[in-house]
Amino acid sequence: MTVKDAERTGAPLNRIDRYFKISERGSTVPQELRGGLATFFTMAYIVVLNPLILGTVTDGDGRFLGDLAKPGAAIPLVAAATALVAGVLTLAMGVVGRYPFAMASGLGLNAVVAFSIAGNMSWEDAMGLIVLEGLVITVLVLTGFRVAVFHAIPGELKTAIAVGIGLFIALIGFVDAGFVRRIPGGAGEGTVPLQLGATGSLSGWPTLVFVVGLLLTILLVARKVKGAILIGIVASTVLAVVVEWFAKVGPYNKGPGPDGKPVINPDGWQLGVPKLPGHIAGTPDLRLLGDFSLFGSFERVGVVAALLFVFTVMLADFFDTMGTVVGVGAEAGLLDGEGNLPGVRNVLLVDSIGAAAGGMASVSSNTTYIESAAGVAEGARTGLASVVTGALFLVAVFFAPMVSVVPFEAATPALVVVGFLMITQIKNIDFSNYDVAIPAFLTIVLMPFSYSITVGIGAGFISYVAIKAARRRFSEIYPLMWLIAALFVIYFAMDPVKKLLGVG
């Protein structure tokens, strides 16, 4: 059978095609390769950003990760471990899950570990809590509970989750590029907490790179050019390198000044400076692997406090992944008639193990990334795309300096365009039915407004159960939805619960 015959009939070409169901899902190997590359480039920033979050904060004993005392010394260690774990888990997601989902250290979750947990104990103890959280979620998958929760969510709420993630991912793109910024000093200085650019208007070469990249990607997508998103990322990166070469823009944060406060260059690059590194490869230091204490936190802060930490991280991890799987799966057309992902158990199992693996490697809980939608927008429909993304992360373990060449401003136009593509699913929600329309609305708007997938899902679930109960439509509520709503009530009321229990 020829390639053209296989593409026309949907028949598998070879074992790889059969295993990943490439033809069955209407994809091709070139599409999967482009999708894997696009996903990698849109989430490779985590190799740079995760070390800046975890590698620059001291624990309760005043130590940096790796038992280091010098500020910044832990950054290369965290970068290498971040890329390694992301690579292994994304490969596992591709081979076992067989879907185009990529994994890496979860943003938001790593901040909770760095700023809320580690300060109360040692880094080893904090990472031990993440391992425990991952093991608990893994048990929930193996017992069928996590899959049951996935199936209990009403179809239109699943659509709302996908739409909310679309808005959220677009906002992430605008904020990470510096096109939309937080007003310095908080909302008190203006009527809104966000503004256009650094001063209410656009300025600086990095912003120009973002705008050009966004317009280019939009035009390519509108013309249905194959590889549009990947072309946009590569072209924007080349433009960024040229701009930095001539203009010498420098980073947004230039480091501490004489007074110890950071020196800010408002027109600088938001994270990585796009310039060719002095060296492109090196031998990674992987000493952080296995540097955790499973139950040390219980001795350090007490059983109740440790369990509350585990519960908080677990609930966020649990539903962040669920939202991502629903949103990206819907965009790829991979969900069935009831809004479920066939074979989702394997996806959730790899994701759950990823949480524990992240703790074992001291890089925080690893989770499925919403940036996987960039690969889907390039045509990825199978785990082969994840194999490509995972392989690139493994290469990044040795070539981390090259990863930093792609700045936020070059990668984030893809997120904005992908956000648009995901939002188009809103047409499947019946807004004349308030029983589901109001929960859907809360789900959609609170994801970007609160900068959290979990918050949006929680508000939607609680309001759905409350409205159905108030209208005495109890038969329409899955029993598990009562439990989930109750857990989210506890999640939102965590501070009062801690005070009630006397936990700091």
Side-chain angles (χ1 to χ4, degrees):
M1 179 179 292
T2 65
V3 174
K4 289 185 178 180
D5 289 337
E7 290 178 348
R8 184 178 64 255
T9 63
L13 285 169
N14 49 45
R15 290 182 180 179
I16 293 178
D17 194 316
R18 287 194 295 272
Y19 183 82
F20 289 109
K21 301 181 180 180
I22 297 173
S23 298
E24 181 180 327
R25 294 179 186 170
S27 183
T28 64
V29 172
Q31 281 182 215
E32 298 301 312
L33 294 177
R34 288 198 305 270
L37 285 167
T39 296
F40 174 75
F41 282 123
T42 54
M43 62 183 287
Y45 67 83
I46 193 62
V47 179
V48 179
L49 187 56
N50 199 43
L52 294 180
I53 294 174
L54 295 177
T56 59
V57 179
T58 57
D59 60 13
D61 298 326
R63 301 175 304 123
F64 293 95
L65 267 169
D67 199 19
L68 299 172
K70 183 181 179 181
I75 289 179
L77 278 66
V78 180
T82 298
L84 176 64
V85 176
V88 171
L89 290 173
T90 301
L91 280 172
M93 182 64 80
V95 174
V96 179
R98 305 192 200 184
Y99 282 106
F101 303 132
M103 295 183 64
S105 298
L107 283 176
L109 293 173
N110 57 4
V112 170
V113 174
F115 304 116
S116 298
I117 299 179
N120 297 290
M121 58 192 76
S122 70
W123 277 111
E124 294 84 356
D125 297 339
M127 292 302 170
L129 283 178
I130 300 303
V131 176
L132 285 174
E133 175 255 333
L135 293 176
V136 171
I137 294 183
T138 301
V139 171
L140 294 180
V141 174
L142 294 175
T143 57
F145 179 81
R146 197 176 186 188
V147 177
V149 170
F150 189 95
H151 293 319
I153 304 171
E156 288 188 284
L157 273 188
K158 289 177 180 175
T159 301
I161 290 171
V163 175
I165 288 177
L167 277 177
F168 183 35
I169 201 173
L171 179 60
I172 289 174
F174 282 121
V175 171
D176 284 353
F179 189 91
V180 173
R181 304 195 188 192
R182 300 172 182 87
I183 297 177
E189 296 185 9
T191 56
V192 293
L194 299 175
Q195 65 182 8
L196 181 67
T199 60
S201 61
L202 299 179
S203 63
W205 287 104
T207 301
L208 177 64
V209 170
F210 170 77
V211 172
V212 171
L214 179 59
L215 288 174
L216 174 63
T217 307
I218 288 172
L219 293 175
L220 293 173
V221 169
R223 291 177 63 87
K224 302 186 185 305
V225 174
K226 290 184 177 181
I229 289 176
L230 185 58
I231 293 172
I233 294 172
V234 173
S236 300
T237 300
V238 172
L239 175 61
V241 171
V242 173
V243 165
E244 178 60 25
W245 178 275
F246 286 103
K248 302 292 188 295
V249 177
Y252 173 80
N253 187 341
K254 293 186 175 182
D259 58 356
K261 296 181 179 180
V263 177
I264 299 300
N265 171 20
D267 291 331
W269 303 99
Q270 289 296 308
L271 181 59
V273 177
K275 59 182 179 180
L276 298 178
H279 62 284
I280 63 174
T283 303
D285 186 339
L286 301 175
R287 77 176 76 171
L288 291 181
L289 273 62
D291 192 20
F292 67 95
S293 173
L294 196 58
F295 296 106
S297 59
F298 288 80
E299 298 179 5
R300 190 68 178 264
V301 299
V303 175
V304 175
L307 290 178
L308 287 176
F309 279 133
V310 170
F311 174 78
T312 302
V313 176
M314 182 184 72
L315 204 65
D317 209 352
F318 191 105
F319 286 100
D320 262 19
T321 295
M322 190 167 294
T324 299
V325 169
V326 170
V328 178
E331 175 59 26
L334 297 172
L335 305 184
D336 61 21
E338 297 179 355
N340 297 318
L341 187 74
V344 71
R345 182 180 183 275
N346 287 342
V347 172
L348 297 179
L349 180 60
V350 175
D351 180 88
S352 301
I353 293 173
M360 292 177 183
S362 296
V363 294
S364 184
S365 176
N366 273 233
T367 187
T368 306
Y369 259 55
I370 54 177
E371 281 84 351
S372 303
V376 165
E378 280 292 354
R381 295 294 181 272
T382 78
L384 182 58
S386 295
V387 170
V388 174
T389 304
L392 290 172
F393 268 118
L394 293 182
V395 171
V397 175
F398 301 93
F399 293 88
M402 288 300 296
V403 173
S404 63
V405 172
V406 183
F408 268 162
E409 291 80 0
T412 48
L415 300 184
V416 177
V417 173
V418 169
F420 156 73
L421 295 174
M422 297 182 71
I423 288 173
T424 59
Q425 299 173 53
I426 199 170
K427 63 180 179 291
N428 298 318
I429 299 175
D430 181 9
F431 282 99
S432 65
N433 178 7
Y434 283 12
D435 283 20
V436 72
I438 293 175
F441 167 76
L442 292 176
T443 299
I444 291 169
V445 299
L446 280 176
M447 283 188 190
F449 289 172
S450 66
Y451 229 65
S452 169
I453 294 174
T454 301
V455 168
I457 292 176
F461 285 8
I462 292 174
S463 58
Y464 176 83
V465 171
I467 291 174
K468 290 292 187 183
R471 302 192 65 181
R472 299 183 181 280
R473 295 180 173 178
F474 300 106
S475 62
E476 298 178 16
I477 306 174
Y478 277 92
L480 269 179
M481 287 295 289
W482 288 99
L483 174 60
I484 298 168
L487 291 174
F488 269 116
V489 169
I490 297 173
Y491 177 79
F492 286 125
M494 186 55 67
D495 280 344
V497 169
K498 287 182 178 179
K499 290 178 181 178
L500 182 66
L501 298 175
V503 178

